Amino acid sequence: MDQMTLEPHYADDCIFCKILTGDIPSYTVYEDNIVKAFLDISQGTPGHTLVIPKTHVQDIFAYDADLAAAVFSRIPKIARAVKASDPAITGMNILNNNGKVAYQSVFHSHIHLVPRYTDQDDFKMIFKDNSGNYTPADYAAIQEKIKAQLEG
């Protein structure tokens, strides 16, 4: 992968790039030279915040190590601020959807910070237990396929 620049560049047809350039207003909660964090217009729960890199990058698969370090190192600070903003927040889901099948709807990488108030706050994630469908050999085969991609 080519070395990605941390200097901002924008895509003309991207709603998040239009937010970055000020063409579309947003409720910004944090901004520096690397990221912008603003309220998600849907407000899945009160305080639902998006963190986006200030350079157009489609998804996590297009990040290089420098951009990943720069963007993700800012997440704890912003998450702590969201949590501290309301004493009723008792937890937080931090989500990054990549690809349409994974529910990515805007193809400019973004991280959702979704405050959680109670287990009845109308936000759901379901992780089905498929462990009964896998043998130790199945796990080992998947493990080796992934490890092979990390070597070299």
Side-chain angles (χ1 to χ4, degrees), residues 40-62:
D40 186 307
I41 201 70
S42 72
Q43 287 298 282
T45 64
H48 181 173
T49 298
L50 300 178
V51 181
I52 65 172
K54 289 182 101 173
T55 190
H56 185 79
V57 57
Q58 180 169 315
D59 55 31
I60 195 69
F61 306 116

PDB file of all heavy atoms in Angstrom, residues 40-62:
ATOM      1  N   ASP A  40     -23.646  12.281  15.541  1.00  0.00           N
ATOM      2  CA  ASP A  40     -24.332  11.567  14.469  1.00  0.00           C
ATOM      3  C   ASP A  40     -25.747  12.119  14.406  1.00  0.00           C
ATOM      4  O   ASP A  40     -26.419  12.235  15.437  1.00  0.00           O
ATOM      5  CB  ASP A  40     -24.347  10.064  14.771  1.00  0.00           C
ATOM      6  CG  ASP A  40     -24.905   9.229  13.643  1.00  0.00           C
ATOM      7  OD1 ASP A  40     -26.028   9.537  13.184  1.00  0.00           O
ATOM      8  OD2 ASP A  40     -24.250   8.267  13.236  1.00  0.00           O
ATOM      9  N   ILE A  41     -26.193  12.474  13.229  1.00  0.00           N
ATOM     10  CA  ILE A  41     -27.513  13.083  13.083  1.00  0.00           C
ATOM     11  C   ILE A  41     -28.625  12.145  13.540  1.00  0.00           C
ATOM     12  O   ILE A  41     -29.684  12.589  13.979  1.00  0.00           O
ATOM     13  CB  ILE A  41     -27.725  13.591  11.627  1.00  0.00           C
ATOM     14  CG1 ILE A  41     -28.812  14.655  11.582  1.00  0.00           C
ATOM     15  CG2 ILE A  41     -27.979  12.450  10.682  1.00  0.00           C
ATOM     16  CD1 ILE A  41     -28.406  15.959  12.223  1.00  0.00           C
ATOM     17  N   SER A  42     -28.392  10.828  13.505  1.00  0.00           N
ATOM     18  CA  SER A  42     -29.424   9.867  13.909  1.00  0.00           C
ATOM     19  C   SER A  42     -29.560   9.756  15.426  1.00  0.00           C
ATOM     20  O   SER A  42     -30.598   9.328  15.917  1.00  0.00           O
ATOM     21  CB  SER A  42     -29.130   8.485  13.331  1.00  0.00           C
ATOM     22  OG  SER A  42     -28.019   7.904  13.988  1.00  0.00           O
ATOM     23  N   GLN A  43     -28.499  10.070  16.172  1.00  0.00           N
ATOM     24  CA  GLN A  43     -28.494   9.942  17.630  1.00  0.00           C
ATOM     25  C   GLN A  43     -29.099   8.620  18.076  1.00  0.00           C
ATOM     26  O   GLN A  43     -30.127   8.569  18.746  1.00  0.00           O
ATOM     27  CB  GLN A  43     -29.199  11.135  18.294  1.00  0.00           C
ATOM     28  CG  GLN A  43     -28.400  12.422  18.241  1.00  0.00           C
ATOM     29  CD  GLN A  43     -27.086  12.307  18.979  1.00  0.00           C
ATOM     30  OE1 GLN A  43     -27.043  12.375  20.199  1.00  0.00           O
ATOM     31  NE2 GLN A  43     -25.975  12.125  18.257  1.00  0.00           N
ATOM     32  N   GLY A  44     -28.420   7.513  17.708  1.00  0.00           N
ATOM     33  CA  GLY A  44     -28.852   6.180  18.132  1.00  0.00           C
ATOM     34  C   GLY A  44     -29.158   6.146  19.620  1.00  0.00           C
ATOM     35  O   GLY A  44     -30.119   5.521  20.056  1.00  0.00           O
ATOM     36  N   THR A  45     -28.336   6.783  20.395  1.00  0.00           N
ATOM     37  CA  THR A  45     -28.603   7.125  21.791  1.00  0.00           C
ATOM     38  C   THR A  45     -28.077   8.541  21.960  1.00  0.00           C
ATOM     39  O   THR A  45     -27.227   8.999  21.175  1.00  0.00           O
ATOM     40  CB  THR A  45     -27.891   6.174  22.785  1.00  0.00           C
ATOM     41  OG1 THR A  45     -26.478   6.315  22.638  1.00  0.00           O
ATOM     42  CG2 THR A  45     -28.311   4.724  22.597  1.00  0.00           C
ATOM     43  N   PRO A  46     -28.558   9.284  22.964  1.00  0.00           N
ATOM     44  CA  PRO A  46     -28.077  10.660  23.142  1.00  0.00           C
ATOM     45  C   PRO A  46     -26.554  10.719  23.330  1.00  0.00           C
ATOM     46  O   PRO A  46     -25.997  10.009  24.167  1.00  0.00           O
ATOM     47  CB  PRO A  46     -28.814  11.137  24.391  1.00  0.00           C
ATOM     48  CG  PRO A  46     -30.057  10.291  24.437  1.00  0.00           C
ATOM     49  CD  PRO A  46     -29.624   8.950  23.906  1.00  0.00           C
ATOM     50  N   GLY A  47     -25.892  11.521  22.520  1.00  0.00           N
ATOM     51  CA  GLY A  47     -24.439  11.652  22.564  1.00  0.00           C
ATOM     52  C   GLY A  47     -23.718  10.842  21.504  1.00  0.00           C
ATOM     53  O   GLY A  47     -22.490  10.924  21.388  1.00  0.00           O
ATOM     54  N   HIS A  48     -24.455  10.081  20.703  1.00  0.00           N
ATOM     55  CA  HIS A  48     -23.865   9.270  19.619  1.00  0.00           C
ATOM     56  C   HIS A  48     -22.993  10.176  18.754  1.00  0.00           C
ATOM     57  O   HIS A  48     -23.467  11.115  18.146  1.00  0.00           O
ATOM     58  CB  HIS A  48     -25.000   8.646  18.825  1.00  0.00           C
ATOM     59  CG  HIS A  48     -24.580   7.775  17.688  1.00  0.00           C
ATOM     60  ND1 HIS A  48     -25.504   7.042  16.986  1.00  0.00           N
ATOM     61  CD2 HIS A  48     -23.379   7.499  17.111  1.00  0.00           C
ATOM     62  CE1 HIS A  48     -24.893   6.361  16.027  1.00  0.00           C
ATOM     63  NE2 HIS A  48     -23.599   6.631  16.084  1.00  0.00           N
ATOM     64  N   THR A  49     -21.716   9.886  18.726  1.00  0.00           N
ATOM     65  CA  THR A  49     -20.705  10.734  18.082  1.00  0.00           C
ATOM     66  C   THR A  49     -19.960   9.941  17.019  1.00  0.00           C
ATOM     67  O   THR A  49     -19.692   8.748  17.196  1.00  0.00           O
ATOM     68  CB  THR A  49     -19.720  11.240  19.156  1.00  0.00           C
ATOM     69  OG1 THR A  49     -20.452  12.033  20.107  1.00  0.00           O
ATOM     70  CG2 THR A  49     -18.593  12.069  18.562  1.00  0.00           C
ATOM     71  N   LEU A  50     -19.626  10.605  15.928  1.00  0.00           N
ATOM     72  CA  LEU A  50     -18.800  10.015  14.879  1.00  0.00           C
ATOM     73  C   LEU A  50     -17.425  10.657  14.915  1.00  0.00           C
ATOM     74  O   LEU A  50     -17.306  11.874  15.082  1.00  0.00           O
ATOM     75  CB  LEU A  50     -19.413  10.252  13.500  1.00  0.00           C
ATOM     76  CG  LEU A  50     -20.799   9.682  13.266  1.00  0.00           C
ATOM     77  CD1 LEU A  50     -21.284  10.044  11.865  1.00  0.00           C
ATOM     78  CD2 LEU A  50     -20.812   8.180  13.461  1.00  0.00           C
ATOM     79  N   VAL A  51     -16.395   9.859  14.736  1.00  0.00           N
ATOM     80  CA  VAL A  51     -15.029  10.350  14.619  1.00  0.00           C
ATOM     81  C   VAL A  51     -14.546   9.972  13.223  1.00  0.00           C
ATOM     82  O   VAL A  51     -14.562   8.792  12.859  1.00  0.00           O
ATOM     83  CB  VAL A  51     -14.106   9.735  15.691  1.00  0.00           C
ATOM     84  CG1 VAL A  51     -12.690  10.282  15.552  1.00  0.00           C
ATOM     85  CG2 VAL A  51     -14.665   9.975  17.098  1.00  0.00           C
ATOM     86  N   ILE A  52     -14.130  10.993  12.459  1.00  0.00           N
ATOM     87  CA  ILE A  52     -13.698  10.741  11.083  1.00  0.00           C
ATOM     88  C   ILE A  52     -12.296  11.304  10.864  1.00  0.00           C
ATOM     89  O   ILE A  52     -11.946  12.342  11.415  1.00  0.00           O
ATOM     90  CB  ILE A  52     -14.672  11.340  10.039  1.00  0.00           C
ATOM     91  CG1 ILE A  52     -14.718  12.868  10.103  1.00  0.00           C
ATOM     92  CG2 ILE A  52     -16.062  10.747  10.217  1.00  0.00           C
ATOM     93  CD1 ILE A  52     -15.504  13.519   8.968  1.00  0.00           C
ATOM     94  N   PRO A  53     -11.494  10.622  10.052  1.00  0.00           N
ATOM     95  CA  PRO A  53     -10.211  11.211   9.663  1.00  0.00           C
ATOM     96  C   PRO A  53     -10.460  12.417   8.761  1.00  0.00           C
ATOM     97  O   PRO A  53     -11.433  12.443   7.999  1.00  0.00           O
ATOM     98  CB  PRO A  53      -9.495  10.090   8.917  1.00  0.00           C
ATOM     99  CG  PRO A  53     -10.533   9.091   8.567  1.00  0.00           C
ATOM    100  CD  PRO A  53     -11.694   9.295   9.478  1.00  0.00           C
ATOM    101  N   LYS A  54      -9.582  13.395   8.847  1.00  0.00           N
ATOM    102  CA  LYS A  54      -9.719  14.603   8.035  1.00  0.00           C
ATOM    103  C   LYS A  54      -9.102  14.435   6.654  1.00  0.00           C
ATOM    104  O   LYS A  54      -8.743  15.403   6.012  1.00  0.00           O
ATOM    105  CB  LYS A  54      -9.113  15.804   8.759  1.00  0.00           C
ATOM    106  CG  LYS A  54      -9.947  16.219   9.953  1.00  0.00           C
ATOM    107  CD  LYS A  54      -9.371  17.413  10.629  1.00  0.00           C
ATOM    108  CE  LYS A  54     -10.141  18.643  10.225  1.00  0.00           C
ATOM    109  NZ  LYS A  54      -9.677  19.813  11.013  1.00  0.00           N
ATOM    110  N   THR A  55      -9.003  13.222   6.229  1.00  0.00           N
ATOM    111  CA  THR A  55      -8.592  12.906   4.876  1.00  0.00           C
ATOM    112  C   THR A  55      -9.525  11.815   4.385  1.00  0.00           C
ATOM    113  O   THR A  55      -9.939  10.954   5.173  1.00  0.00           O
ATOM    114  CB  THR A  55      -7.109  12.473   4.821  1.00  0.00           C
ATOM    115  OG1 THR A  55      -6.686  12.409   3.473  1.00  0.00           O
ATOM    116  CG2 THR A  55      -6.854  11.165   5.520  1.00  0.00           C
ATOM    117  N   HIS A  56      -9.906  11.865   3.127  1.00  0.00           N
ATOM    118  CA  HIS A  56     -10.860  10.883   2.619  1.00  0.00           C
ATOM    119  C   HIS A  56     -10.186   9.516   2.503  1.00  0.00           C
ATOM    120  O   HIS A  56      -9.220   9.337   1.777  1.00  0.00           O
ATOM    121  CB  HIS A  56     -11.424  11.294   1.256  1.00  0.00           C
ATOM    122  CG  HIS A  56     -12.489  10.360   0.792  1.00  0.00           C
ATOM    123  ND1 HIS A  56     -13.775  10.418   1.275  1.00  0.00           N
ATOM    124  CD2 HIS A  56     -12.446   9.301  -0.048  1.00  0.00           C
ATOM    125  CE1 HIS A  56     -14.485   9.456   0.718  1.00  0.00           C
ATOM    126  NE2 HIS A  56     -13.700   8.756  -0.083  1.00  0.00           N
ATOM    127  N   VAL A  57     -10.700   8.583   3.237  1.00  0.00           N
ATOM    128  CA  VAL A  57     -10.272   7.195   3.191  1.00  0.00           C
ATOM    129  C   VAL A  57     -11.540   6.358   3.340  1.00  0.00           C
ATOM    130  O   VAL A  57     -12.363   6.629   4.214  1.00  0.00           O
ATOM    131  CB  VAL A  57      -9.201   6.880   4.266  1.00  0.00           C
ATOM    132  CG1 VAL A  57      -9.680   7.193   5.663  1.00  0.00           C
ATOM    133  CG2 VAL A  57      -8.707   5.457   4.184  1.00  0.00           C
ATOM    134  N   GLN A  58     -11.732   5.411   2.458  1.00  0.00           N
ATOM    135  CA  GLN A  58     -13.011   4.699   2.384  1.00  0.00           C
ATOM    136  C   GLN A  58     -13.317   3.875   3.624  1.00  0.00           C
ATOM    137  O   GLN A  58     -14.420   3.923   4.149  1.00  0.00           O
ATOM    138  CB  GLN A  58     -13.057   3.795   1.155  1.00  0.00           C
ATOM    139  CG  GLN A  58     -14.374   3.042   1.046  1.00  0.00           C
ATOM    140  CD  GLN A  58     -14.543   2.356  -0.289  1.00  0.00           C
ATOM    141  OE1 GLN A  58     -14.283   2.944  -1.321  1.00  0.00           O
ATOM    142  NE2 GLN A  58     -14.982   1.117  -0.252  1.00  0.00           N
ATOM    143  N   ASP A  59     -12.359   3.091   4.086  1.00  0.00           N
ATOM    144  CA  ASP A  59     -12.624   2.171   5.189  1.00  0.00           C
ATOM    145  C   ASP A  59     -11.302   1.749   5.821  1.00  0.00           C
ATOM    146  O   ASP A  59     -10.234   2.181   5.393  1.00  0.00           O
ATOM    147  CB  ASP A  59     -13.440   0.961   4.717  1.00  0.00           C
ATOM    148  CG  ASP A  59     -12.798   0.229   3.546  1.00  0.00           C
ATOM    149  OD1 ASP A  59     -11.543   0.216   3.440  1.00  0.00           O
ATOM    150  OD2 ASP A  59     -13.531  -0.346   2.723  1.00  0.00           O
ATOM    151  N   ILE A  60     -11.384   0.902   6.822  1.00  0.00           N
ATOM    152  CA  ILE A  60     -10.198   0.481   7.571  1.00  0.00           C
ATOM    153  C   ILE A  60      -9.179  -0.220   6.681  1.00  0.00           C
ATOM    154  O   ILE A  60      -7.981  -0.159   6.924  1.00  0.00           O
ATOM    155  CB  ILE A  60     -10.593  -0.410   8.774  1.00  0.00           C
ATOM    156  CG1 ILE A  60      -9.440  -0.552   9.768  1.00  0.00           C
ATOM    157  CG2 ILE A  60     -11.076  -1.775   8.317  1.00  0.00           C
ATOM    158  CD1 ILE A  60      -9.124   0.701  10.513  1.00  0.00           C
ATOM    159  N   PHE A  61      -9.649  -0.848   5.610  1.00  0.00           N
ATOM    160  CA  PHE A  61      -8.751  -1.581   4.735  1.00  0.00           C
ATOM    161  C   PHE A  61      -7.831  -0.644   3.954  1.00  0.00           C
ATOM    162  O   PHE A  61      -6.817  -1.087   3.409  1.00  0.00           O
ATOM    163  CB  PHE A  61      -9.552  -2.471   3.774  1.00  0.00           C
ATOM    164  CG  PHE A  61     -10.501  -3.389   4.492  1.00  0.00           C
ATOM    165  CD1 PHE A  61     -11.863  -3.263   4.322  1.00  0.00           C
ATOM    166  CD2 PHE A  61     -10.033  -4.373   5.356  1.00  0.00           C
ATOM    167  CE1 PHE A  61     -12.753  -4.100   4.983  1.00  0.00           C
ATOM    168  CE2 PHE A  61     -10.901  -5.216   6.028  1.00  0.00           C
ATOM    169  CZ  PHE A  61     -12.272  -5.069   5.837  1.00  0.00           C
ATOM    170  N   ALA A  62      -8.163   0.629   3.891  1.00  0.00           N
ATOM    171  CA  ALA A  62      -7.356   1.606   3.158  1.00  0.00           C
ATOM    172  C   ALA A  62      -6.412   2.396   4.068  1.00  0.00           C
ATOM    173  O   ALA A  62      -5.636   3.216   3.579  1.00  0.00           O
ATOM    174  CB  ALA A  62      -8.272   2.569   2.395  1.00  0.00           C
TER     175      ALA A  62
END
